[in-house]
Amino acid sequence: MVKGVLLDLSGVLYEGDRPVPGAAEAVAKLRAAGLPVRFLTNSTRAPRRKLLEKLRKMGFELEDDELFTPAKAACEKLEENGLTAHLLIHPDLAEDFAGYETAETPGAVVVGDAGTHFTYDALNAAYRTLADGARFYALAANRAFCDADGALSMDVGAFVAALEYASGTKAEVLGKPAKAFFHTALDEMGVAPEDAAMVGDDAESDVAGALRAGLGRAVLVKTGKYRDGDEAGTDPAPSHVAADLSAAVDWLLS
């Protein structure tokens, strides 16, 4: 029996600036059934504040601490290890790292989806910091995301791989599919992994990642970045494939 649910944001709750039809009602249905819900995203172009605003404007009800982002996980990691960071991120995300960025001998490099700010000079500056011995933290390592025009665009994963290759330093991924990212949300809910379910549109990071992290169920929805056949290319395979979040919630509650 499912006792708690983790939900991806982009592609599951909304696509671009439009909510997925029925998604807000589906979240409310989970809560009405007495299930705790937490929201996990690998989006790293917008600060946490903006994501919360966006969700609420679309009709989703949530508390601030119900949203888990890779930037928050990174700041906790930096704090835990007493580190400041060289940031290769989108400028809009900078507010989430207030107090952790430094230009003087940073102990870590943090890479997120910088978009058009992934210039050679920016990548080379990160490479040089890694070559000097800094730790390497990737907010995510996704291959692609569903862009505002509905087509797939390159995500941060290719840039993380380039820096790994050049520096010889393996990045520690802090967002999905990192086991700790899922478990932090589950611990906060007080739900054991085997009693939890994840719903996402990314067969690799959301679904297979959740199942590898020990979650009992993971549902792939056919919205957002989903493309025909995605469910056949991952191991472990999704527990279920649903048309959208509404259908996923109906399956989970059944």
Side-chain angles (χ1 to χ4, degrees), residues 10 20 36 57 60 63 76 88 91 99 101 121 128 141 174 183 195 217 233 246:
S10 179
V20 171
K57 285 179 180 178
F60 296 98
E63 300 297 327
E76 291 171 354
L88 178 49
E101 182 179 18
D121 287 345
R128 289 180 173 181
L174 301 179
H183 282 223
D195 295 326
R217 296 169 180 80
S246 295

Side-chain angles (χ1 to χ4, degrees), residues 110-124:
V110 176
V111 179
D113 179 11
T116 57
H117 300 275
F118 274 130
T119 63
Y120 174 81
D121 287 345
L123 285 161
N124 196 45

Side-chain angles (χ1 to χ4, degrees), residues 26-109:
V27 175
K29 191 172 184 178
L30 287 171
R31 295 193 190 276
L35 296 179
V37 178
R38 296 297 182 270
F39 304 85
L40 276 66
T41 181
N42 273 6
S43 297
T44 58
R45 287 194 185 182
R48 196 163 179 273
R49 173 181 60 85
K50 287 287 190 182
L51 291 173
L52 287 166
E53 288 177 3
K54 181 173 184 174
L55 288 169
R56 287 167 179 153
K57 285 179 180 178
M58 290 181 175
F60 296 98
E61 296 184 4
L62 73 161
E63 300 297 327
D64 288 5
D65 61 4
E66 291 180 332
L67 174 61
F68 291 78
T69 68
K72 184 174 184 292
C75 289
E76 291 171 354
K77 177 73 71 171
L78 294 170
E79 183 72 27
E80 176 186 331
N81 291 285
L83 299 172
T84 54
H86 173 98
L87 301 178
L88 178 49
I89 59 174
H90 196 283
D92 289 349
L93 191 64
E95 67 180 71
D96 282 2
F97 285 93
Y100 290 98
E101 182 179 18
T102 183
E104 298 180 4
T105 320
V109 169

